[in-house]
Amino acid sequence: MQARHKNALAGAALVLPAILVPVAGISQENAIVRMTEEARYEPASVTIRVGDTITWLNDSRGVGHTVTADPDRAAEPGQVALPPGAEGFASGLLPPGTTFEHRFEVPGRYVYFCETHTNRDMTGEVIVE
Protein backbone atom coordinates (compact mmCIF):
# COMPACT_ATOMS: atom_id res chain seq x y z
CA MET A 1 0.00 0.00 0.00
CA GLN A 2 1.39 3.40 -0.95
CA ALA A 3 0.12 6.72 0.34
CA ARG A 4 1.86 10.05 0.15
CA HIS A 5 1.24 13.76 0.42
CA LYS A 6 2.31 16.32 -2.10
CA ASN A 7 2.19 20.09 -2.06
CA ALA A 8 0.63 21.08 -5.36
CA LEU A 9 1.66 24.71 -4.77
CA ALA A 10 5.40 24.02 -4.85
CA GLY A 11 5.75 25.27 -8.44
CA ALA A 12 5.21 28.76 -9.75
CA ALA A 13 1.73 28.01 -11.06
CA LEU A 14 -1.02 25.67 -9.96
CA VAL A 15 -2.46 23.66 -12.82
CA LEU A 16 -5.75 22.04 -11.92
CA PRO A 17 -6.67 18.79 -13.63
CA ALA A 18 -9.80 18.30 -15.67
CA ILE A 19 -12.79 16.97 -13.79
CA LEU A 20 -13.31 13.26 -14.44
CA VAL A 21 -16.84 12.23 -15.29
CA PRO A 22 -17.48 8.70 -14.03
CA VAL A 23 -18.94 6.29 -16.56
CA ALA A 24 -20.27 2.98 -15.29
CA GLY A 25 -17.92 0.09 -16.06
CA ILE A 26 -15.07 2.29 -17.31
CA SER A 27 -11.76 2.21 -15.44
CA GLN A 28 -10.31 5.60 -14.53
CA GLU A 29 -6.66 4.61 -14.16
CA ASN A 30 -4.77 7.07 -12.00
CA ALA A 31 -7.96 9.05 -11.34
CA ILE A 32 -8.07 12.46 -9.71
CA VAL A 33 -10.79 13.25 -7.18
CA ARG A 34 -11.30 16.89 -6.21
CA MET A 35 -12.25 18.00 -2.69
CA THR A 36 -14.44 21.10 -2.87
CA GLU A 37 -15.41 24.04 -0.69
CA GLU A 38 -18.93 22.65 -0.78
CA ALA A 39 -17.68 19.60 1.18
CA ARG A 40 -17.91 17.11 -1.68
CA TYR A 41 -15.62 14.67 -3.43
CA GLU A 42 -15.89 15.08 -7.21
CA PRO A 43 -16.49 12.56 -8.59
CA ALA A 44 -18.08 10.87 -5.59
CA SER A 45 -17.62 7.41 -7.09
CA VAL A 46 -14.67 6.14 -9.12
CA THR A 47 -14.09 2.73 -10.71
CA ILE A 48 -10.48 1.61 -11.13
CA ARG A 49 -8.46 -1.57 -11.59
CA VAL A 50 -6.27 -3.36 -9.06
CA GLY A 51 -2.92 -1.57 -8.88
CA ASP A 52 -4.31 1.83 -9.95
CA THR A 53 -3.67 4.98 -7.92
CA ILE A 54 -6.12 7.72 -7.00
CA THR A 55 -4.95 11.24 -6.25
CA TRP A 56 -7.22 13.41 -4.11
CA LEU A 57 -6.68 17.16 -4.67
CA ASN A 58 -7.91 19.74 -2.19
CA ASP A 59 -8.60 22.59 -4.57
CA SER A 60 -10.81 24.56 -2.19
CA ARG A 61 -9.64 28.06 -1.29
CA GLY A 62 -9.68 27.89 2.49
CA VAL A 63 -11.07 24.58 3.70
CA GLY A 64 -9.06 21.61 4.95
CA HIS A 65 -10.24 18.08 4.15
CA THR A 66 -9.25 14.48 4.84
CA VAL A 67 -9.53 11.21 2.95
CA THR A 68 -10.29 8.62 5.61
CA ALA A 69 -11.03 4.93 5.10
CA ASP A 70 -10.12 3.77 8.59
CA PRO A 71 -12.87 2.13 10.66
CA ASP A 72 -11.11 3.20 13.88
CA ARG A 73 -11.60 6.87 12.94
CA ALA A 74 -15.26 6.60 11.93
CA ALA A 75 -17.95 7.98 14.24
CA GLU A 76 -20.50 5.65 12.63
CA PRO A 77 -19.93 2.20 11.08
CA GLY A 78 -21.48 3.17 7.71
CA GLN A 79 -18.87 5.87 7.08
CA VAL A 80 -16.23 3.31 6.10
CA ALA A 81 -16.34 0.11 4.08
CA LEU A 82 -13.31 -1.96 3.12
CA PRO A 83 -13.16 -5.20 1.17
CA PRO A 84 -11.88 -8.27 3.04
CA GLY A 85 -8.09 -8.18 3.30
CA ALA A 86 -7.77 -4.43 2.63
CA GLU A 87 -6.09 -2.13 5.12
CA GLY A 88 -7.57 1.21 6.07
CA PHE A 89 -5.88 4.49 5.20
CA ALA A 90 -6.08 8.13 6.26
CA SER A 91 -4.56 11.23 4.71
CA GLY A 92 -4.49 13.46 7.74
CA LEU A 93 -5.62 17.06 7.29
CA LEU A 94 -4.96 18.30 3.74
CA PRO A 95 -4.70 22.09 3.47
CA PRO A 96 -5.86 23.74 0.24
CA GLY A 97 -3.50 23.06 -2.68
CA THR A 98 -2.24 19.71 -1.39
CA THR A 99 -2.82 16.16 -2.57
CA PHE A 100 -2.97 12.64 -1.18
CA GLU A 101 -2.36 9.46 -3.19
CA HIS A 102 -3.31 5.88 -2.49
CA ARG A 103 -2.65 2.78 -4.56
CA PHE A 104 -5.37 0.10 -4.42
CA GLU A 105 -4.13 -3.51 -4.33
CA VAL A 106 -7.25 -5.34 -3.11
CA PRO A 107 -10.40 -5.55 -5.27
CA GLY A 108 -13.76 -4.55 -3.84
CA ARG A 109 -15.70 -1.53 -2.61
CA TYR A 110 -14.11 1.17 -0.46
CA VAL A 111 -16.20 3.87 1.23
CA TYR A 112 -14.34 6.83 2.74
CA PHE A 113 -15.19 10.14 4.41
CA CYS A 114 -13.82 13.54 5.44
CA GLU A 115 -13.16 13.72 9.18
CA THR A 116 -13.68 17.49 9.24
CA HIS A 117 -17.06 17.32 7.47
CA THR A 118 -18.88 14.34 8.99
CA ASN A 119 -21.82 16.64 9.76
CA ARG A 120 -22.11 17.40 6.01
CA ASP A 121 -22.03 13.78 4.83
CA MET A 122 -18.83 14.19 2.82
CA THR A 123 -18.29 10.63 1.61
CA GLY A 124 -16.87 8.96 -1.47
CA GLU A 125 -16.54 5.52 -2.98
CA VAL A 126 -13.90 3.59 -4.91
CA ILE A 127 -14.75 0.40 -6.76
CA VAL A 128 -11.66 -1.67 -7.52
CA GLU A 129 -12.15 -4.32 -10.19
Side-chain angles (χ1 to χ4, degrees):
M1 172 184 350
Q2 284 185 332
R4 61 184 168 188
H5 296 276
K6 292 183 182 176
N7 185 339
L9 298 177
L14 176 63
V15 178
L16 296 178
I19 297 172
L20 297 175
V21 179
V23 178
I26 301 296
S27 175
Q28 297 179 18
E29 182 178 347
N30 302 321
I32 296 172
V33 175
R34 294 174 51 244
M35 295 174 275
T36 71
E37 287 185 51
E38 294 80 24
R40 289 192 311 256
Y41 296 106
E42 293 180 354
S45 181
V46 178
T47 300
I48 60 172
R49 293 191 175 110
V50 170
D52 287 352
T53 298
I54 293 183
T55 300
W56 285 268
L57 167 66
N58 183 355
D59 69 351
S60 63
R61 285 173 275 190
V63 181
H65 294 292
T66 74
V67 179
T68 307
D70 182 345
D72 293 336
R73 295 174 176 253
E76 299 175 23
Q79 289 178 309
V80 174
L82 298 170
E87 293 183 27
F89 56 90
S91 65
L93 186 63
L94 298 170
T98 60
T99 63
F100 172 75
E101 293 181 348
H102 182 78
R103 184 175 174 165
F104 291 83
E105 298 292 346
V106 177
R109 179 174 181 254
Y110 296 75
V111 175
Y112 60 92
F113 69 101
C114 177
E115 290 183 72
T116 60
H117 293 102
T118 56
N119 62 332
R120 301 208 31 210
D121 248 357
M122 186 173 175
T123 61
E125 167 186 73
V126 177
I127 305 297
V128 181
E129 299 178 332

